[in-house]
Amino acid sequence: MEERKVESKNFIEEIIDGDLASGKVKKIITRFPPEPNGYLHIGHAKAICIDFGIAQKYGGECNLRFDDTNPAKEDVEYVESIKQDISWLGFKWDRELYASDYFEEMYNRAVLLIKKGLAYVCDLSAQEISEYRGTLTVPGKESPYRNRSVEENLRLFEEMRQGKYADGEKVLRAKIDMASPNINMRDPVIYRISRAAHHRTGTKWVIYPMYDFAHPLEDAIEGITHSLCSLEFEDHRPLYDWFTLHCEFNPRPQQIEFARLNLTGTVMSKRFLKTLVDKKIVDGWDDPRLPTLAGMRRRGYPPEAIRDFCSRIGVAKANSEVDFAMLEHCVREELNDTATRVMVVTNPLKVIVDNYPEDKEEEAFIENNPQKDGSGVHAQMFGKELYIERDDFSLNPPPKYFRLQPGGMVRLKGAYIVEYASCETDKDGNPTVIHVNIIPKSKSGDENSGLKVKGTIHWVNAKRAVDVKLNMYDKLLLDGEGDFMDRINPASLTVLYGKGEEYIKGAKAGERFQFLREGYFVRTVNENEFNSIVPLKDSYKIK
């Protein structure tokens, strides 16, 4: 009997399956609603994959909606960067929308609440409102302006719109329950006065809706069926439902919360990231040391690896912390399958092959990618003068050292077995030039010498080598506690100058390589400059 394969579904998909089966919804419509006040980071990637992934799975739609209700902190630069990041991750939105598209309708819905006796203009200051709100154990206290008449509230709210009052002088609040155990329900502010110019509407508006009021209305206006958001909005769900109910939307969207992504050793606070950018501690929002998607793109992370990572961590109801090494593991797996292998020497030491003719060169072939069938090979020229890694030679080797040493032999990758001959040193006894001899008939592919050696090292042709600049990245924050600014790692970026094989001279910006025995690198926008992506060694243990 044929075994049936049961598809594992997360709790969001189970809810959607039930809604479709019951006829509650006919077509799934989701949205990704970033506020354009900074660049997206890896935490947003999880939300993007969920929002767009759910819509794709169910043949629905996913809108990209910019929650631009706080003009003082928003900018067109952030709008464009968000669009670029989503496209780079491999997703397409069905409609590009803006909260500012709905400012007039939101205003009218606020007027509706006033007419129903469910909203009022309050003259308390922000500090007084906070004091009146109470605590988790102490109920709130009603504002002295709570019982203004509908007519007075309509007049005052219209005057707020006309700009008759200063910033902070008045707000519009929902009239709900100052004794509610959920503090979010204690007459929340839904409109405030702000004369900041908006990146789309200019100075047309001087009042702007608060997020908790705007967000559910945006979802309802767009016909969103399932409003997927992170767990910190769970306590806001009663307020979300209150606004869509009393603003008389039908049908009404359903909010579902999932656990946000927390990565070890990583801070994803936009405020902190902006501070790093503004103080020029990092080289912009796309600095490769930052957890921004732009930074990871510049670092060389493949979008496929980030999608794979988000798929592996899954969708859960409880917050947890994910090891950053797991993300690097996904990046490494993707690059292992796709990156071209080349030889680059990061700390060059000159080698002269004494028994090789001065005017002779011959091809040594390097497999482009042993993991990929049909990837082919490329050649670099073997000659009399070479460079090897300084660490691949030792005058006084430790035990079990299988690289080049006095009296020893090693294989040069793709080329010959060579035997140590002599060493030139400086006045301090440090090696400056190594002399070797090739073993006849030992070239890779010939295997006629009968010799077997334990060590294989990489090399480049000294006369044909390309000078390369290597940006080596380490974590931006040191481990520990305390202020983040006190934990900035001064060695988070180091620069090496090495020698690369001639093949990489034609590399294009964004092209990724495995530098043999070194790690994975990506070419920057500058010729012969490369950013380190991840090392070869994998510290993540698959559970």
Side-chain angles (χ1 to χ4, degrees), residues 140 206 271 286 321 340 382 426 529 540:
V206 295
R271 184 179 304 168
D286 65 343
E321 195 169 48
T340 299
F382 184 85
D426 61 18
E529 180 184 47
Y540 179 69

Side-chain angles (χ1 to χ4, degrees), residues 422-441:
S422 63
C423 174
E424 301 176 29
T425 61
D426 61 18
K427 60 183 177 59
D428 297 319
N430 299 312
T432 55
V433 179
I434 310 301
H435 291 264
V436 299
N437 288 305
I438 62 170
I439 303 298
K441 300 181 180 179

Side-chain angles (χ1 to χ4, degrees), residues 29 59 119 158 215 259 321 345 357 394 473 520 543:
I29 305 177
E158 175 61 27
H215 189 72
E321 195 169 48
V345 176
S394 177
Y473 296 105
Y520 292 99
K543 299 177 182 177

Side-chain angles (χ1 to χ4, degrees), residues 225-400:
T225 58
H226 298 84
S227 180
L228 311 176
C229 58
S230 48
L231 207 56
E232 64 262 36
F233 293 102
E234 185 176 27
D235 290 340
H236 296 248
R237 194 198 316 152
L239 184 58
Y240 181 101
D241 293 339
W242 191 92
F243 281 132
T244 57
L245 173 65
H246 292 289
C247 287
E248 300 182 359
F249 285 100
N250 186 31
R252 295 161 54 205
Q254 177 182 358
Q255 178 175 301
I256 305 173
E257 307 87 16
F258 57 85
R260 68 186 301 172
L261 171 59
N262 297 302
L263 275 178
T264 59
T266 304
V267 179
M268 292 183 279
S269 160
K270 279 186 182 178
R271 184 179 304 168
F272 174 64
L273 298 179
K274 190 173 189 303
T275 299
L276 293 176
V277 174
D278 291 345
K279 292 190 174 183
K280 301 189 183 307
I281 294 172
V282 295
D283 180 27
W285 283 96
D286 65 343
D287 188 292
R289 293 166 290 181
L290 293 182
T292 58
L293 294 181
M296 291 182 172
R297 180 166 60 249
R298 184 173 160 192
R299 177 79 175 260
Y301 281 24
E304 298 86 352
I306 294 178
R307 294 200 305 269
D308 179 40
F309 170 69
C310 291
S311 174
R312 292 191 192 201
I313 61 178
V315 181
K317 294 183 180 181
N319 284 326
S320 61
E321 195 169 48
V322 179
D323 192 341
F324 192 87
M326 181 181 176
L327 173 59
E328 290 188 320
H329 170 78
C330 293
V331 171
R332 193 177 289 105
E333 277 202 339
E334 174 66 24
L335 293 175
N336 187 48
D337 291 339
T338 58
T340 299
R341 275 57 168 168
V342 296
M343 295 194 284
V344 172
V345 176
T346 61
N347 190 8
L349 176 62
K350 190 73 163 290
V351 172
I352 295 178
V353 186
D354 289 342
N355 65 342
Y356 197 84
E358 184 81 41
D359 57 352
K360 181 180 177 182
E361 283 188 329
E362 59 185 304
E363 292 179 327
F365 293 100
I366 307 300
E367 195 172 0
N368 288 331
N369 190 326
Q371 306 297 318
K372 188 177 3 177
D373 291 338
S375 65
V377 297
H378 69 271
Q380 86 151 320
M381 304 306 294
F382 184 85
K384 186 175 184 67
E385 295 185 8
L386 314 171
Y387 287 117
I388 65 170
E389 287 288 351
R390 194 165 291 273
D391 288 345
D392 284 341
F393 172 75
S394 177
L395 284 170
N396 300 292
K400 297 184 178 180

